[in-house]
Amino acid sequence: MATKVLAFPVTVSDLSKRFGSKSPQPSSKVRVFTLRCSAGERPWKTSDARLVLEDGSIWKAKSFGATGTQVGEVVFNTSLTGYQEILTDPSYAGQFVLMTNPHIGNTGVNFDDEESRQCFLAGLVIRSLSISTSNWRCTETLGDYLAKRNIMGIYDVDTRAITRRLREDGSLIGVLSTDNSKTDEELLKMSQSWDIVGIDLISGVSCKTPHEWVDKTKQEWEFNSKVPQETFHVVAYDFGIKQNILRRLASYGCKITVVPSTWPASKTLKMKPDGVLFSNGPGDPSAVPYAVETVRDIIGKVPVFGICMGHQLLGQALGGKTFKMKFGHHGGNHPVRNLRTTHVEISAQNHNYAVDPATLPEGVEVTHINLNDGSCAGLAFPAKRIMSLQYHPEASPGPHDSDYAFREFVYLMRQEKRKKSEPQLSTV
């Protein structure tokens, strides 16, 4: 492409005429400023991507990260920061995450903030992509990070208008594409022929073999001053587990064995764990009946703790029902009330399904509610040593409002351990 060069000679005397006495002393030096521009080429990026929603709306945008065509469910996240934790949260598998905070990318990315081994979301939708990064831990820009992991991103799109549409109409299926050969009609047909409901997304994010986890919360981030006096063996089912859940458990003195989502309950019970954790994960709990059956075979035999997907699986295993929410809960600023203490916690949430407490059997207690819509955010079944939360106690938006949940799980395991060690009285 041809390039035009324009040269502008400017002397200091010219500046004197322009600025008067404020300019430096005149001299014979001449400065030449050169401006280069390519004919037909703009110095800024133009729209090269489309987000086509199943309702027929088409949103033009600029691409960053990977290129191609991808289908997914569009959800909005109200977090002000923490986009790297969101990118690596396996619970976002199959979804485009739209950030309501307009300015994204200013802190770059770093290895320490990873929540899993890779990015599982379908794509990232933002209003404004930062042109520079400024953080002492930054090792890479957001665009380069997504490109290396084959994740699509778009910016310069009206995220506020899309968010309002999602709030009014509910989560929508969309197709993100940088392929100009595909027509709008083709992309719309793709969005209308795909559905996230009923798909087993857990099997695609879970580990494949059991492994031990030993890493604790780093000392500079640790806020629990009490040194654990006992060790408890916890089997953690990986339905898409976030690494910080494992770090918090390890920091509370737990020896952790992580197992795949399809790991049989019989093998877990043969390991004689002090407790079992059912982790967070993506998608529809009704699409993974094998996981519900595993949970059902374990509850009542050892103390259990369910988080997010684990909470929903516990609800179904106990005989309750789950339902798909209109647009779900996604963000780091959701208020939750602990009904036992009346305390309000600021929580991080990421789920599109919820447990219907009216369908649960007698003895199951609703312990927490989401104050935005009154939905069930926590359960307990003391008779079977069960506790669960529909949000992330390991996240720190509060910053440490919900960390006590790990302490309560340890307390359940300690009680059970002591009960087993007590001499049994003969009934003869």
Side-chain angles (χ1 to χ4, degrees):
M1 184 175 288
T3 302
K4 295 182 179 180
V5 179
L6 302 176
F8 300 93
V10 179
T11 65
V12 177
S13 58
D14 292 330
L15 296 177
S16 298
K17 295 176 182 178
R18 174 65 181 82
F19 297 103
S21 60
K22 293 182 180 180
S23 64
Q25 293 296 320
S27 70
S28 59
K29 293 182 180 179
V30 176
R31 302 289 179 89
V32 177
F33 299 92
T34 304
L35 175 65
R36 297 178 181 272
C37 60
S38 299
E41 183 177 295
R42 297 176 180 176
W44 57 84
K45 187 178 178 72
T46 57
S47 296
D48 61 346
R50 288 165 293 167
L51 174 62
V52 179
L53 300 180
E54 61 176 309
D55 64 358
S57 60
I58 300 172
W59 307 81
K60 293 185 178 180
K62 300 173 184 176
S63 67
F64 71 107
T67 57
T69 301
Q70 181 69 46
V71 62
E73 181 182 44
V74 185
V75 298
F76 62 89
N77 186 296
T78 56
S79 296
L80 297 180
T81 185
Y83 54 80
Q84 190 176 353
E85 289 88 341
I86 293 167
L87 291 170
T88 53
D89 181 352
S91 296
Y92 281 114
Q95 294 179 323
F96 294 125
V97 180
L98 180 151
M99 302 296 295
T100 58
N101 185 39
H103 193 57
I104 301 295
N106 54 309
T107 57
V109 294
N110 68 87
F111 178 77
D112 290 342
D113 289 346
E114 303 275 88
E115 285 289 359
S116 65
R117 66 184 182 277
Q118 67 182 75
C119 297
F120 289 100
L121 80 172
L124 183 65
V125 180
I126 62 176
R127 177 68 184 91
S128 175
L129 178 65
S130 179
I131 61 175
S132 63
T133 60
S134 179
N135 186 275
W136 64 277
R137 296 191 302 152
C138 175
T139 58
E140 197 172 19
T141 66
L142 178 58
D144 290 343
Y145 176 87
L146 293 183
K148 289 179 180 179
R149 287 154 181 80
N150 198 34
I151 301 296
M152 298 180 68
I154 59 171
Y155 67 102
D156 266 11
V157 63
D158 193 343
T159 53
R160 186 172 183 177
I162 298 176
T163 298
R164 293 187 65 176
R165 187 174 295 248
L166 297 176
R167 282 184 60 86
E168 293 170 1
D169 301 336
S171 299
L172 296 170
I173 303 300
V175 176
L176 184 57
S177 182
T178 57
D179 186 352
N180 291 328
S181 67
K182 295 184 181 299
T183 66
D184 294 341
E185 290 72 22
E186 288 176 316
L187 298 180
L188 178 59
K189 186 176 180 180
M190 286 179 63
S191 68
Q192 293 176 341
S193 60
W194 188 82
D195 195 354
I196 197 170
V197 177
I199 298 178
D200 176 6
L201 295 171
I202 286 177
S203 58
V205 302
S206 177
C207 63
K208 305 306 178 186
T209 57
H211 62 276
E212 304 297 316
W213 180 276
V214 296
D215 293 344
K216 301 179 181 180
T217 301
K218 289 186 177 181
Q219 190 59 41
E220 60 265 35
W221 303 109
E222 183 57 68
F223 51 87
N224 180 22
S225 59
K226 295 182 180 180
V227 179
Q229 301 299 318
E230 298 177 78
T231 299
F232 299 95
H233 181 208
V234 174
V235 173
Y237 272 82
D238 180 10
F239 299 132
I241 197 166
K242 292 172 68 177
Q243 293 179 354
N244 209 36
I245 293 175
L246 299 172
R247 294 190 195 102
R248 294 311 299 147
L249 279 173
S251 296
Y252 273 95
C254 296
K255 174 189 174 184
I256 306 166
T257 303
V258 183
V259 297
S261 60
T262 55
W263 190 254
S266 58
K267 289 187 176 181
T268 295
L269 295 174
K270 284 181 180 179
M271 299 165 72
K272 298 186 181 302
D274 296 305
V276 174
L277 173 82
F278 299 117
S279 81
N280 63 290
D284 182 358
S286 298
V288 287
Y290 64 87
V292 177
E293 189 63 30
T294 298
V295 173
R296 187 179 291 118
D297 290 343
I298 291 176
I299 56 178
K301 298 179 175 68
V302 294
V304 299
F305 182 18
I307 297 177
C308 294
M309 172 60 77
H311 162 87
Q312 297 161 21
L313 295 175
L314 278 167
Q316 288 199 5
L318 289 170
K321 296 181 179 179
T322 57
F323 62 93
K324 193 174 192 298
M325 309 176 81
K326 185 176 181 180
F327 46 79
H329 295 158
H330 311 278
N333 42 21
H334 284 256
V336 167
R337 172 173 285 137
N338 184 327
L339 298 179
R340 289 172 166 177
T341 65
T342 71
H343 293 168
V344 174
E345 306 164 25
I346 300 302
S347 69
Q349 303 200 12
N350 175 22
H351 60 101
N352 271 51
Y353 292 81
V355 175
D356 181 0
T359 64
L360 294 170
E362 185 178 352
V364 180
E365 173 191 357
V366 175
T367 57
H368 300 72
I369 59 170
N370 187 300
L371 293 179
N372 284 337
D373 59 10
S375 59
C376 175
L379 295 173
F381 197 170
K384 292 185 178 293
R385 305 179 300 287
I386 294 172
M387 60 178 289
S388 67
L389 294 175
Q390 186 61 86
Y391 58 96
H392 286 276
E394 86 289 348
S396 303
H400 308 138
D401 295 14
S402 308
D403 192 72
Y404 69 87
F406 295 103
R407 186 169 61 250
E408 290 186 352
F409 182 42
V410 168
Y411 178 73
L412 279 181
M413 292 188 289
R414 182 182 295 114
Q415 276 190 318
E416 184 67 11
K417 202 172 187 180
R418 289 178 179 176
K419 182 180 177 181
K420 289 180 179 180
S421 64
E422 290 176 356
Q424 300 297 314
L425 297 176
S426 175
T427 58
V428 180

